[in-house]
Amino acid sequence: MGKTIAEKIFAAHLRDEPFEGTRVLSLDRVLCHEITTPVAIADLVWRDKDRVYDRDKIKVVIDHVTPSKDSKTAMQAKILRDWAHRHEIPDFFDVGRNGVCHAIFPEKGFIRPGFTVIMGDSHTCTHGAFGAFAAGVGTTDLEVGILKGVCAFREPASIRININGTLPSGVVAKDVILHVISHLGVNGATDRILEFRGPVVEAMSMEARMTLCNMAIEAGGTCGICMPDMTTVNYLWPFIQNEFGTKQAALAEYSKWISDDAARYDKVLDFDVSGLSPQVTFGYKPDCVKPVAEMAGTRVDQVYIGTCTNGRIEDLREAAAVLKGKKVADSVRGIVSPATPKIFSDALEEGIIQIFMDAGFCVTNPTCGACLGMSNGVLAEDEVCASTSNRNFNGRMGKGGMVHLMSPATAAATAVTGSITDARSL
Amino acid sequence: MSSKKIFGGLAIVLDRADINTDEIIPAKYLTEVTKEALTPFILEDLKLDGFDPNGEKLKNATVIITRENFGCGSSREHAPWVFEVNGVHTVIAESYARIFRQNMFNCGMLAIELPKEDIEQILALESAGDIQVNVDLPGQKINASVGSKSLDLDFEISPFDKALVEAGGWVEFADARY
């Protein structure tokens, strides 16, 4: 019988099966940020177990609120910083070198095909783009991960999502995943792994695959996952060339993490995206999705471009292509947060930052920022934000605020007109 | 940090699907580094007709009864913690988001899943008054009652999750085993 990629990764990392149906896996990566990790650290100290299982496998960043905005967030950062220094964790990213966790860790080459990855952050599923099993967990799982290097999961049932056809020009990964979630519903993939397959995914860049996998959790999925291929090898090449010598050798090695043809799926869903148009959310759940055309003219107060979903260089290029030579509407506040220092630097070099600034955008440092209403860019009561982020819960960006999720191009077009707009119409 | 947990007691009904972690504990309070500091903010942003986060009903409750996909969204364990510090150690729902459900068990708390028909039956009791829930964890049975009206139901729980509750949480379990 064939195996899915998730089953292969589970089998290769199985540490223990304490009860039928429970798999305790060895972890290749435990990722940490300053919101969910400090309580785990405090508990380890309290238990007199202030240890880490492997300082090289633990990667740490301050990203949700950075630079710290007040005494409390300064203390969170300090707890994390002191802990990282105390244990001499080599990969710790502080102010000036920090970026959004799900953008900076892949960018540093930390995620590889076949890896097991956890983090105290629901969008950890992003890392599945590399053919890794990557799951968001709570602080207690994180704590056990830090101390013992293990995490428990149920048996890995998968849903195969075939994305067929050809994406029309101006329609991108964000539109695809919003469309898929609208079909699955917010709990359509609970306890399932979403395996993204098909010619459209094969043609996608790593950045676009990360966007797909990032939102798997919005359908309840444990992880989104893509098959490793030459695109994966090319992305990772700067980090793996000494290990493999040739790209073909790397591809041959990584190919063992591809689902078998005879693998069994909980469900197989086919989507033909050839006729897909740009998509946008309209309610307080990420499965409330409509074509942009049906929401055109909806007034917004703020536009936010960035986040772990769409703050990568491709996303900024896509938005800048729309914004070039245009201005943000008088009624709109435009905010852009390049997701990492490298992305910021590349965007500077390519003239993208200038385009944003000329259009009237506020450019912030790399941070999760406005996405979750903890830092800058919080909405006032009854305000509306067009955002490239992944979650539109009621009050997400501030009590009483409304968030519409969309692609960077749609967000840029919306910034220009002041209301939800199909970028292709500008 | 674990305290003696009591499963069962007076229940509050949150009759809505997809109650998310932002509604249970808004992100702005995630700057706290102790569980106790979260206490006043339980369910502060929940959008539900007739629900008052500051009301007596929630203050007295030790059980939450709710619909499907409870706890969807963020990985924040602050959601189970805000229940824990308010004495709510049991949630009974049609279904859960995975991370929230695991967080509950990892904290040594109970996330009981019941079929929709069972939840309907329990909710039907509410018209007669406040629902009292008794949990028999070893026997995997719950009793829900209002006055003289009483309902006995069986529930499924994975052996692992049950072991976590009995051990007082995942840290204790993992520490003893790995």
Side-chain angles (χ1 to χ4, degrees), chain A residues 18-83:
Chain A
F19 300 95
E20 198 187 337
T22 299
R23 313 286 183 86
V24 175
L25 305 183
S26 299
L27 299 171
D28 295 305
R29 290 287 177 263
V30 176
L31 310 176
C32 299
H33 67 53
E34 87 283 11
I35 301 299
T36 54
T37 312
V39 187
I41 295 168
D43 199 53
L44 287 171
V45 170
W46 178 79
R47 291 173 191 277
D48 203 17
K49 296 179 192 305
D50 182 21
R51 303 188 299 271
V52 300
Y53 84 110
D54 186 335
R55 63 183 192 169
D56 291 319
K57 290 181 178 174
I58 296 173
K59 311 291 177 184
V60 189
V61 68
I62 295 174
D63 63 354
H64 276 55
V65 187
T66 183
S68 303
K69 66 168 180 171
D70 55 19
S71 303
K72 283 185 174 174
T73 53
M75 185 51 74
Q76 287 181 303
K78 181 174 162 54
I79 293 170
L80 193 70
R81 184 181 296 122
D82 289 350
W83 170 75

Side-chain angles (χ1 to χ4, degrees), chain B residues 65-76:
Chain B
I65 302 171
T66 186
R67 295 291 190 172
E68 62 176 9
N69 199 30
F70 188 73
C72 59
S74 165
S75 66
R76 63 188 68 159

Side-chain angles (χ1 to χ4, degrees), chain B residues 4-9 62 87-90:
Chain B
K4 178 72 188 154
K5 299 182 181 78
I6 297 159
F7 303 110
T62 56
V88 178
H89 297 140
T90 310

Side-chain angles (χ1 to χ4, degrees), chain A residues 3-6 156-164 180 184 188-189 192-199 201-202 223-227 258-271:
Chain A
K3 282 182 172 179
T4 63
I5 178 173
S158 297
I159 299 176
R160 181 169 167 160
I161 308 273
N162 295 319
I163 312 287
N164 301 318
V180 168
L184 282 169
R192 299 290 179 272
I193 291 147
L194 288 181
E195 190 177 303
F196 296 107
R197 303 290 294 268
V201 181
E202 285 162 22
C223 180
I225 203 160
C226 298
M227 300 302 105
I258 292 175
S259 296
D260 298 328
D261 289 339
R264 286 204 324 186
Y265 292 90
D266 190 54
K267 224 186 269 183
V268 179
L269 299 173
D270 289 286
F271 294 86

